[in-house]
Amino acid sequence: MSAPGGGLIGSPAPRRKNRELLTGEGTYVADIRLEGQVYARVVRSPSAHARLLGVDTSEALRVGGVVAVITADDIDDIRIPIRLPFAESPEANAVLQAPLAADVVRYVGEPVAVVVADDPYVAEDAAELVSIDLDELEPVLDPANSTESSQPLVHESFGSNTIGRLAYRYGDIDAAFARADVVVRRRLRVHRLAAAPMETRGLAADYDPGSGVLTVWGGAKVKHFTRALLSRVLGLELTDVRVIEVEVGGGFGTRGEPYPEDILIPLLARRLERPVQWIEDRWEHMVATNHAREQEHDFELAAGADGRMLGFRVRGWCDHGAYVRTQGLLPVVLPMVHLPGPYEWPAFSMDLDAVLTNRTPVGTYRGPGMTEATFVRERMVDILAAELEMEPADLRRRNLIPAESMPFSFMPGPGSGAVMPIMYQGGDFVTAFDQMLDGAGYDRMRVEQRQARADGQHAGVGIAAYIEFAAVGPFEEVEVIGGAGNVVVRAGVGSLGQGVETALAQIAAELLDVPLSGVTVEFHDTAEVPQGFGSFASRSTVLAGNAIAAAVDEMKAKAAPLLGCGPGDVEFRDGTATAPGDRSVGLGDIGPTRGRFEKEGLTASFGGAVCSVSVNPADGRARVDRFALAHDVGRAVNPRLLRGQLAGAAAQGIGGALFEEVAYDEHGQPLSVTFADYMMPTAAELPDVEVTIIEHGSGSNPLGIKGGGEAGMVGSLGAVANGVADAVGDGAEVLTSSVSSARLWHALHRPRRA
Amino acid sequence: MAGWLDPHDSVAVTLTVNGAPRKVRVPPRRTLADALRDAGFTSVRLGCEHGVCGSCTILLDGAAVRSCLMLAVQGQGHTIETVESLTDGDELSTLQQAFDDNDALQCGFCTPGFLMLIEGLLRSEPEAGRDRILEVVSSNLCRCTGAVPVFQAALNALAANRDDP
């Protein structure tokens, strides 16, 4: 194709908006200034678990400039619902969070009151004067023993700290263990992490009593859900709620879910009939915004002496924190579907508990569930490799599901609960695995490792292979409006800094054969974008991209009668719809068209990571010297942006393994509430992440795309932990996903058992 | 009460930002970052408000500083530069262009801070070597890219600056 839009899908088109961001012009929610706006400050629980006997706001109300102070007594008794039907259960619905705590506080940081003042500094002053009367209760802090009867209850009325137990049985697990030559057993722990985008959360809300319209700025990710929720809890017509997305400083799964503040700030704007702005500070962010990942697993792996993996049993505890939030049971559902991974297990048995503790609620963070599951499984595979004295890459290759077995499924057997079946639509895992090793130069890595060891260094190489389920439905809808020299695409997904607007423009430009510069993508305003499900699960490009393809087909159908031909004869050429015999109509004459792409189930893709690691035993510091990942995206719409997503996600994961941890003390007080104690990596601690893009198509959608925005994270914890374990050898056993210098130093200097 | 101001009083401060003097009235406890943002320089971003992330980095008399760690009243008499000063008309600076070329930004929130940090280095230490550049770039945090592309952009910009100062 030589025409303007030809070949745009798959081209490294430059990212849109860069110029605006480089010149500092982008408007983030904190930059919004509305006439007469006031500022909110949330008063939060200082205790992990206590009866809330009273909240005295009188002193705060006396501060000059304070406009209002509200507590639970001032609002309706509402709960923030679960957003995804498949992540709901009656038990989960029994422990949802209210916007403001009423009788009991259940984690440090839980909202108790909101102060509104005409100046943000004054709002903070007054918030300090709100007096909270608390009767301390014992906190529940350890997920793995939270279910024991000696433990206090996080929600007394619910009667248990277990809010769900998922069981998945496949094959004959007892037979698998009976015929095993080797069984390895370990308890593995995944540590608590925070996504920690550079921009904290924030909102601005304005209610116009004249028109009755409530406008909310700052909600990204799931705008249409937020709008529906606000309409319901505030008693407004759906069309009277507008949610507008502004520039966003990173999402990573945590930003844009409806949190307590997403109810409180619009509610205050409506009640006060004044614009209200709330900007989370970093301390608040570290206790108020969803945490992620914390879980423990007792894992047993059975294998033959030849390295054939015969089965695994896992009993796990997945922490949900003090409440179930909008993502429901995903913190337990997602690890479960990702635990088997890419291997051809004859049998497995999984029992995972969703548990509550008196800490900040847990939600999804880039690569949710899959990153945790990959660490657990891949660490165990390496422990098995050591036991069998087998090369870790060879052991994995021997057990990968062969291409000829595709499509492949582990259908749940007798004894399973209501679980999502684990199915892989296609792919060639063995070839992709070897592409990953070749891309990384694995053999050379091993040679260099031997040389480094000969020089007395603690050098290791770590591998992790995984399956990522992504691109979740149920649908995405777009509107395509053709015009002279410009095509507008309206989509309901969100831009979180990942560049989705560039990728969608490329798809529209190629399919309509117009120049890239002639496509505008709009997604900011729910008043303009008809419907949408949002940006999560690496779904935006897959779902909205295919909806664009559907809209373009619809344009052909509408153009056909104008051209006097069949829809199949319509071709888009140079900004017009053409029919055989040189007839043509302009895109603007066709009229707006809608396209909808519905998708069932999840799209599985294979990937992995390989890294080389060096450890300094004197201070326990591990360094990732090289990190190479590979991921099957089906088809790369924009390989340049994709590389940025994959490498950036890997950098976050490496930081999570080496430095970051949300820690709590024995009273449930958070110890990681600033960037001085939640330590994220800088350029000096990170390698230049190497990326191999694999394009094994996807039959699940016409464009053949799979997810890619999160995948760089998935292998990171597992690969780094395996690399560190390889580096320290018998010196220390690596059983947690955190391999921080403190942990490693203690592990290396622990008195050895005889 | 000689010298002490009530926290709720405001004082007049003249901030010279990007070459133009601006008179602002601020309570004495208002940070320089907040005062600049209130004056419309919203490229000064607040990621942590305690001097770790560097998103609020500006040039003060040519040196990169965290504006969240200064009070607005301390800005009196100093020359302040923000990212708005880098662009010459429509033309991106060599440094800004290097960010674009090296995919050194995604969400863009930390970008102005990084640009000013490296701009400070370009001016004060144009001969800085690789290790020094890495040391300086590692003063700020980027959660999207991991900042290795930012380091690459800085290397390229300093090299270009040496070739064509």
Side-chain angles (χ1 to χ4, degrees), chain A residues 437-459:
Chain A
L437 296 183
D438 289 347
Y442 180 72
D443 293 338
R444 200 182 72 236
M445 270 181 168
R446 286 290 187 195
V447 170
E448 285 167 2
Q449 179 193 15
R450 281 194 288 275
Q451 286 165 350
R453 284 185 171 174
D455 293 341
Q457 293 172 38
H458 290 66

Side-chain angles (χ1 to χ4, degrees), chain A residues 432 435-437 466 606-610 628-632 646 690-694 711:
Chain A
Q435 279 178 274
M436 170 181 84
L437 296 183
Y466 63 81
F606 176 88
V610 185
L629 65 87
H631 183 70
D632 178 7
L646 291 169
E690 302 154 57
V691 173
T692 299
I693 295 172
I694 298 169

Side-chain angles (χ1 to χ4, degrees), chain A residues 407-664:
Chain A
F408 186 90
S409 63
F410 292 114
M411 293 312 284
S416 301
V419 289
M420 213 184 302
I422 298 167
M423 298 189 285
Y424 308 142
Q425 299 88 345
D428 182 343
F429 298 173
V430 179
T431 304
F433 183 73
D434 285 333
Q435 279 178 274
M436 170 181 84
L437 296 183
D438 289 347
Y442 180 72
D443 293 338
R444 200 182 72 236
M445 270 181 168
R446 286 290 187 195
V447 170
E448 285 167 2
Q449 179 193 15
R450 281 194 288 275
Q451 286 165 350
R453 284 185 171 174
D455 293 341
Q457 293 172 38
H458 290 66
V461 174
I463 309 180
Y466 63 81
I467 294 294
E468 175 198 44
F469 283 112
V472 66
F475 71 88
E476 205 56 56
E477 206 170 85
V478 301
E479 190 172 22
V480 178
I481 305 151
N486 191 30
V487 172
V488 176
V489 176
R490 291 178 170 165
V493 296
S495 177
L496 307 160
Q498 80 277 47
V500 64
E501 59 275 43
T502 309
L504 295 183
Q506 285 175 259
I507 292 168
E510 168 153 337
L511 298 179
L512 292 170
D513 200 32
V514 295
L516 189 57
S517 58
V519 180
T520 309
V521 180
E522 291 179 355
F523 45 79
H524 298 94
D525 189 344
T526 56
E528 285 173 14
V529 177
Q531 281 205 66
F533 221 70
S535 281
F536 54 94
S538 299
R539 68 190 294 280
S540 303
T541 305
V542 181
L543 274 286
N546 281 288
I548 291 172
V552 169
D553 284 343
E554 180 60 22
M555 279 179 102
K556 284 185 182 178
K558 284 174 104 170
L562 302 174
L563 291 163
C565 66
D569 292 326
V570 178
E571 271 187 41
F572 293 105
R573 206 179 298 150
D574 214 356
T576 58
T578 65
D582 272 352
R583 281 162 298 160
S584 70
V585 292
L587 295 180
D589 299 324
I590 300 171
T593 53
R594 286 198 176 183
R596 185 180 168 95
F597 181 66
E598 293 187 10
K599 185 171 181 299
E600 271 186 46
L602 297 152
T603 301
S605 45
F606 176 88
V610 185
C611 63
S612 54
V613 174
S614 47
V615 174
N616 180 352
D619 62 8
R621 262 168 89 107
R623 187 176 169 85
V624 175
D625 299 306
R626 282 188 59 207
F627 192 96
L629 65 87
H631 183 70
D632 178 7
V633 293
R635 180 184 185 189
V637 175
N638 185 325
R640 181 173 170 186
L641 264 57
L642 179 65
R643 271 172 206 280
Q645 287 297 304
L646 291 169
Q652 267 183 320
I654 295 166
L658 297 183
F659 308 108
E660 300 166 30
E661 178 163 14
V662 181
Y664 282 85

